[in-house]
Amino acid sequence: MADPTKFSAFLTDHQLNGNRLLAVSHKLETLQRTDRDLKLARRQMKSVEGGEKKEFTKPRSGRPVTQRALNAALTGGALSGPTKQRILRAVNYLLEQKKKDKVELRALF
């Protein structure tokens, strides 16, 4: 068996479950009504010429971590930057529930 990746070693050290990580990611990334409202307002501002520029907060992505992406992370496969960020958000949420400090992306990948 190959050496464990940095991410898989982190999960075992902190006793985090992969299935729980998928569920939390789905909860965090699912679009809410406020996210849809932000996207609508942004689209409407683009259609109006000379309209005021407003600063909007960033909506959720609407794309949770998939089992395939989690498997790639555990085996050391290639992951995109946004996928790494989604995994990081889910891991930090689980660590926060366990009353542990949040980690940075470098600690996982």
Side-chain angles (χ1 to χ4, degrees):
M1 186 170 158
D3 292 331
T5 61
K6 200 173 182 183
F7 179 65
S8 63
F10 182 87
L11 288 183
T12 55
D13 289 345
H14 291 277
Q15 299 175 348
L16 298 176
N17 185 352
N19 292 331
R20 180 79 179 118
L21 189 104
L22 292 175
V24 164
S25 176
H26 180 69
K27 177 186 168 194
L28 291 176
E29 300 296 331
T30 301
L31 288 177
Q32 304 293 324
R33 181 71 199 167
T34 55
D35 301 320
R36 291 187 180 96
D37 291 342
L38 283 173
K39 287 184 176 188
L40 175 65
R42 198 174 280 166
R43 271 197 318 269
Q44 288 174 340
M45 289 302 294
K46 283 184 181 180
S47 67
V48 175
E49 289 187 27
E52 294 180 25
K53 296 283 184 181
K54 291 185 179 178
E55 290 296 322
F56 294 105
T57 58
K58 244 183 160 177
R60 292 171 181 83
S61 67
R63 300 189 64 178
V65 176
T66 61
Q67 182 67 48
R68 182 178 178 183
L70 185 62
N71 290 341
L74 291 171
T75 59
L79 291 173
S80 68
T83 302
K84 290 179 185 178
Q85 286 295 325
R86 288 184 208 115
I87 291 173
L88 176 68
R89 274 194 292 271
V91 166
N92 280 336
Y93 183 86
L94 289 174
L95 289 175
E96 185 180 308
Q97 284 186 331
K98 290 184 169 230
K99 307 280 193 262
K100 295 184 179 179
D101 293 332
K102 291 184 176 184
V103 295
E104 294 183 7
L105 190 63
R106 292 179 187 258
L108 297 179
F109 301 102

mmCIF file of all heavy atoms in Angstrom, residues 19-37:
data_model
loop_
_atom_site.group_PDB
_atom_site.id
_atom_site.type_symbol
_atom_site.label_atom_id
_atom_site.label_comp_id
_atom_site.label_asym_id
_atom_site.label_seq_id
_atom_site.Cartn_x
_atom_site.Cartn_y
_atom_site.Cartn_z
ATOM 1 N N ASN A 19 -17.617 10.344 5.189
ATOM 2 C CA ASN A 19 -19.051 10.481 4.902
ATOM 3 C C ASN A 19 -19.629 11.712 5.587
ATOM 4 O O ASN A 19 -20.479 12.404 5.032
ATOM 5 C CB ASN A 19 -19.815 9.232 5.343
ATOM 6 C CG ASN A 19 -19.465 8.041 4.489
ATOM 7 O OD1 ASN A 19 -19.118 8.184 3.320
ATOM 8 N ND2 ASN A 19 -19.545 6.862 5.077
ATOM 9 N N ARG A 20 -19.175 11.986 6.783
ATOM 10 C CA ARG A 20 -19.622 13.186 7.503
ATOM 11 C C ARG A 20 -19.153 14.437 6.772
ATOM 12 O O ARG A 20 -19.872 15.428 6.686
ATOM 13 C CB ARG A 20 -19.069 13.147 8.937
ATOM 14 C CG ARG A 20 -19.458 14.329 9.768
ATOM 15 C CD ARG A 20 -20.888 14.203 10.290
ATOM 16 N NE ARG A 20 -21.191 15.349 11.106
ATOM 17 C CZ ARG A 20 -22.151 16.223 10.825
ATOM 18 N NH1 ARG A 20 -22.921 16.045 9.791
ATOM 19 N NH2 ARG A 20 -22.362 17.255 11.597
ATOM 20 N N LEU A 21 -17.947 14.375 6.219
ATOM 21 C CA LEU A 21 -17.391 15.492 5.459
ATOM 22 C C LEU A 21 -18.255 15.785 4.236
ATOM 23 O O LEU A 21 -18.530 16.950 3.928
ATOM 24 C CB LEU A 21 -15.950 15.168 5.038
ATOM 25 C CG LEU A 21 -15.190 16.319 4.443
ATOM 26 C CD1 LEU A 21 -14.222 16.851 5.483
ATOM 27 C CD2 LEU A 21 -14.445 15.870 3.229
ATOM 28 N N LEU A 22 -18.713 14.746 3.552
ATOM 29 C CA LEU A 22 -19.584 14.928 2.390
ATOM 30 C C LEU A 22 -20.917 15.561 2.792
ATOM 31 O O LEU A 22 -21.425 16.456 2.107
ATOM 32 C CB LEU A 22 -19.840 13.589 1.699
ATOM 33 C CG LEU A 22 -18.647 12.943 1.004
ATOM 34 C CD1 LEU A 22 -19.027 11.572 0.480
ATOM 35 C CD2 LEU A 22 -18.117 13.807 -0.104
ATOM 36 N N ALA A 23 -21.480 15.105 3.900
ATOM 37 C CA ALA A 23 -22.761 15.638 4.364
ATOM 38 C C ALA A 23 -22.637 17.106 4.764
ATOM 39 O O ALA A 23 -23.508 17.932 4.446
ATOM 40 C CB ALA A 23 -23.280 14.811 5.533
ATOM 41 N N VAL A 24 -21.566 17.442 5.452
ATOM 42 C CA VAL A 24 -21.352 18.828 5.879
ATOM 43 C C VAL A 24 -21.133 19.726 4.670
ATOM 44 O O VAL A 24 -21.654 20.842 4.606
ATOM 45 C CB VAL A 24 -20.151 18.909 6.855
ATOM 46 C CG1 VAL A 24 -19.655 20.315 7.009
ATOM 47 C CG2 VAL A 24 -20.546 18.337 8.192
ATOM 48 N N SER A 25 -20.392 19.239 3.691
ATOM 49 C CA SER A 25 -20.154 20.031 2.488
ATOM 50 C C SER A 25 -21.466 20.299 1.759
ATOM 51 O O SER A 25 -21.701 21.410 1.282
ATOM 52 C CB SER A 25 -19.186 19.302 1.559
ATOM 53 O OG SER A 25 -19.035 20.022 0.366
ATOM 54 N N HIS A 26 -22.321 19.309 1.705
ATOM 55 C CA HIS A 26 -23.619 19.502 1.064
ATOM 56 C C HIS A 26 -24.427 20.570 1.806
ATOM 57 O O HIS A 26 -25.062 21.436 1.198
ATOM 58 C CB HIS A 26 -24.390 18.185 1.018
ATOM 59 C CG HIS A 26 -25.734 18.294 0.375
ATOM 60 N ND1 HIS A 26 -25.900 18.532 -0.966
ATOM 61 C CD2 HIS A 26 -26.979 18.223 0.898
ATOM 62 C CE1 HIS A 26 -27.179 18.600 -1.241
ATOM 63 N NE2 HIS A 26 -27.866 18.410 -0.118
ATOM 64 N N LYS A 27 -24.386 20.523 3.121
ATOM 65 C CA LYS A 27 -25.114 21.502 3.939
ATOM 66 C C LYS A 27 -24.560 22.916 3.738
ATOM 67 O O LYS A 27 -25.315 23.880 3.617
ATOM 68 C CB LYS A 27 -25.013 21.108 5.410
ATOM 69 C CG LYS A 27 -25.659 22.092 6.351
ATOM 70 C CD LYS A 27 -25.407 21.723 7.783
ATOM 71 C CE LYS A 27 -25.804 22.866 8.689
ATOM 72 N NZ LYS A 27 -25.292 22.722 10.024
ATOM 73 N N LEU A 28 -23.239 23.033 3.683
ATOM 74 C CA LEU A 28 -22.608 24.349 3.570
ATOM 75 C C LEU A 28 -22.761 24.965 2.185
ATOM 76 O O LEU A 28 -22.903 26.175 2.054
ATOM 77 C CB LEU A 28 -21.121 24.254 3.908
ATOM 78 C CG LEU A 28 -20.742 23.957 5.341
ATOM 79 C CD1 LEU A 28 -19.239 23.801 5.458
ATOM 80 C CD2 LEU A 28 -21.240 25.035 6.269
ATOM 81 N N GLU A 29 -22.680 24.151 1.151
ATOM 82 C CA GLU A 29 -22.631 24.672 -0.215
ATOM 83 C C GLU A 29 -23.976 24.768 -0.908
ATOM 84 O O GLU A 29 -24.072 25.357 -1.964
ATOM 85 C CB GLU A 29 -21.696 23.808 -1.062
ATOM 86 C CG GLU A 29 -20.273 23.754 -0.564
ATOM 87 C CD GLU A 29 -19.561 25.094 -0.588
ATOM 88 O OE1 GLU A 29 -19.895 25.949 -1.439
ATOM 89 O OE2 GLU A 29 -18.667 25.285 0.239
ATOM 90 N N THR A 30 -25.029 24.185 -0.342
ATOM 91 C CA THR A 30 -26.339 24.239 -0.977
ATOM 92 C C THR A 30 -26.820 25.682 -1.071
ATOM 93 O O THR A 30 -26.707 26.440 -0.114
ATOM 94 C CB THR A 30 -27.359 23.407 -0.174
ATOM 95 O OG1 THR A 30 -26.893 22.067 -0.117
ATOM 96 C CG2 THR A 30 -28.726 23.435 -0.818
ATOM 97 N N LEU A 31 -27.340 26.033 -2.237
ATOM 98 C CA LEU A 31 -27.822 27.395 -2.435
ATOM 99 C C LEU A 31 -29.023 27.680 -1.547
ATOM 100 O O LEU A 31 -29.954 26.885 -1.474
ATOM 101 C CB LEU A 31 -28.214 27.617 -3.895
ATOM 102 C CG LEU A 31 -27.082 27.718 -4.903
ATOM 103 C CD1 LEU A 31 -27.655 27.855 -6.300
ATOM 104 C CD2 LEU A 31 -26.173 28.870 -4.594
ATOM 105 N N GLN A 32 -28.991 28.817 -0.898
ATOM 106 C CA GLN A 32 -30.101 29.278 -0.069
ATOM 107 C C GLN A 32 -30.859 30.365 -0.832
ATOM 108 O O GLN A 32 -30.423 30.833 -1.883
ATOM 109 C CB GLN A 32 -29.570 29.857 1.249
ATOM 110 C CG GLN A 32 -28.701 28.918 2.042
ATOM 111 C CD GLN A 32 -29.464 27.738 2.584
ATOM 112 O OE1 GLN A 32 -30.621 27.870 2.963
ATOM 113 N NE2 GLN A 32 -28.824 26.576 2.621
ATOM 114 N N ARG A 33 -31.970 30.775 -0.303
ATOM 115 C CA ARG A 33 -32.767 31.816 -0.957
ATOM 116 C C ARG A 33 -31.969 33.115 -1.091
ATOM 117 O O ARG A 33 -32.053 33.805 -2.113
ATOM 118 C CB ARG A 33 -34.049 32.054 -0.144
ATOM 119 C CG ARG A 33 -34.946 33.086 -0.734
ATOM 120 C CD ARG A 33 -35.579 32.568 -1.999
ATOM 121 N NE ARG A 33 -36.070 33.688 -2.795
ATOM 122 C CZ ARG A 33 -36.447 33.573 -4.037
ATOM 123 N NH1 ARG A 33 -36.408 32.424 -4.654
ATOM 124 N NH2 ARG A 33 -36.875 34.617 -4.692
ATOM 125 N N THR A 34 -31.185 33.456 -0.082
ATOM 126 C CA THR A 34 -30.400 34.702 -0.133
ATOM 127 C C THR A 34 -29.363 34.652 -1.253
ATOM 128 O O THR A 34 -29.084 35.666 -1.886
ATOM 129 C CB THR A 34 -29.692 34.946 1.209
ATOM 130 O OG1 THR A 34 -28.903 33.800 1.531
ATOM 131 C CG2 THR A 34 -30.688 35.214 2.312
ATOM 132 N N ASP A 35 -28.803 33.464 -1.503
ATOM 133 C CA ASP A 35 -27.824 33.325 -2.582
ATOM 134 C C ASP A 35 -28.473 33.554 -3.941
ATOM 135 O O ASP A 35 -27.911 34.213 -4.813
ATOM 136 C CB ASP A 35 -27.185 31.937 -2.554
ATOM 137 C CG ASP A 35 -26.478 31.665 -1.244
ATOM 138 O OD1 ASP A 35 -25.827 32.591 -0.717
ATOM 139 O OD2 ASP A 35 -26.578 30.545 -0.738
ATOM 140 N N ARG A 36 -29.668 33.009 -4.096
ATOM 141 C CA ARG A 36 -30.384 33.203 -5.360
ATOM 142 C C ARG A 36 -30.752 34.673 -5.556
ATOM 143 O O ARG A 36 -30.705 35.199 -6.662
ATOM 144 C CB ARG A 36 -31.626 32.321 -5.394
ATOM 145 C CG ARG A 36 -31.284 30.849 -5.490
ATOM 146 C CD ARG A 36 -32.536 30.004 -5.683
ATOM 147 N NE ARG A 36 -32.191 28.609 -5.773
ATOM 148 C CZ ARG A 36 -32.217 27.757 -4.749
ATOM 149 N NH1 ARG A 36 -32.597 28.165 -3.562
ATOM 150 N NH2 ARG A 36 -31.899 26.492 -4.920
ATOM 151 N N ASP A 37 -31.116 35.344 -4.468
ATOM 152 C CA ASP A 37 -31.436 36.773 -4.542
ATOM 153 C C ASP A 37 -30.216 37.590 -4.945
ATOM 154 O O ASP A 37 -30.327 38.540 -5.724
ATOM 155 C CB ASP A 37 -31.985 37.276 -3.213
ATOM 156 C CG ASP A 37 -33.365 36.714 -2.894
ATOM 157 O OD1 ASP A 37 -34.038 36.225 -3.828
ATOM 158 O OD2 ASP A 37 -33.759 36.755 -1.714
#
